[in-house]
Amino acid sequence: CALTSIEIPEGVSKISVGTFFGCSKLKSITLCDNINTIDSYAFKNCSQLTSINLHDKITSISDEAFANCSSLSSVNLPSQLTSINTGVFSGCSNLSAISISTNVKSIGARAFYSCGFESLPSLPNNLQTIGDSAFAECKFSQLNLPSCMSSITLGESLFKNCKSLKTVVFSNSA
């Protein structure tokens, strides 16, 4: 795939399974406002993807949609999103900043596995579950656990192999 950028035109409402899987030269994507669903593996292994604008009409991003997009450095998740599915950003080793909407209630297994986070992203207060290995192999040096952690079901190996982790700070109610 020789695409380096793409603009999805009006009239398209969904990016189907694996549409741009492995387009390793793709650097930027502009989605039209009609897009509401990004299916599994849609942009997986787009290793040079540096930016994507995920507008607020997107309500679903399926498993591993952006897995191994190793050049992606920041993402603003849509405000309508209620779950971050399995492995969505797994292997995004340069992803160091993400904005998680207050509407998100679950973070799936390996959602941010091996991302470049140096600190835990802000978690919404109404978050209910974080899946297995969701933040495993991230680059945290200090982990500040928010008070909402006391009401969340936590998966196994949540911070497994975070080799730079030196300090964990619990809030008073965590």
Side-chain angles (χ1 to χ4, degrees):
C1 177
L3 287 174
T4 57
S5 66
I6 188 159
E7 185 173 327
I8 307 295
E10 294 296 321
V12 176
S13 62
K14 173 181 174 179
I15 306 294
S16 295
V17 174
T19 300
F20 298 100
F21 185 111
C23 288
S24 60
K25 296 180 183 178
L26 188 61
K27 291 182 180 182
S28 68
I29 302 157
T30 304
L31 301 176
C32 68
D33 288 340
N34 293 340
I35 301 285
N36 57 30
T37 301
I38 299 175
D39 276 343
S40 298
Y41 320 111
F43 299 99
K44 184 174 182 173
N45 294 341
C46 292
S47 58
Q48 290 188 34
L49 182 64
T50 57
S51 68
I52 184 164
N53 179 21
L54 298 173
H55 58 75
D56 282 340
K57 290 183 184 175
I58 297 172
T59 58
S60 174
I61 302 174
S62 296
D63 297 352
E64 297 189 33
F66 295 97
N68 300 324
C69 291
S70 55
S71 295
L72 198 59
S73 61
S74 68
V75 174
N76 288 325
L77 291 176
S79 63
Q80 300 302 313
L81 205 61
T82 58
S83 68
I84 300 170
N85 290 325
T86 300
V88 170
F89 296 103
S90 174
C92 294
S93 55
N94 282 316
L95 185 60
S96 59
I98 192 156
S99 149
I100 300 175
S101 161
T102 57
N103 292 323
V104 171
K105 294 182 179 168
S106 69
I107 296 175
R110 300 177 323 283
F112 300 106
Y113 182 90
S114 194
C115 284
F117 299 124
E118 292 182 11
S119 63
L120 186 67
S122 293
L123 300 175
N125 286 331
N126 62 345
L127 189 64
Q128 297 169 358
T129 60
I130 301 177
D132 296 347
S133 301
F135 294 100
E137 297 197 19
C138 287
K139 299 176 182 175
F140 303 128
S141 60
Q142 179 169 324
L143 191 54
N144 295 314
L145 298 176
S147 60
C148 68
M149 294 295 268
S150 64
S151 61
I152 299 173
T153 302
L154 302 175
E156 294 179 14
S157 304
L158 194 57
F159 302 108
K160 180 179 179 180
N161 288 334
C162 291
K163 294 178 181 178
S164 299
L165 186 59
K166 294 178 181 166
T167 307
V168 177
V169 178
F170 292 87
S171 72
N172 290 338
S173 60

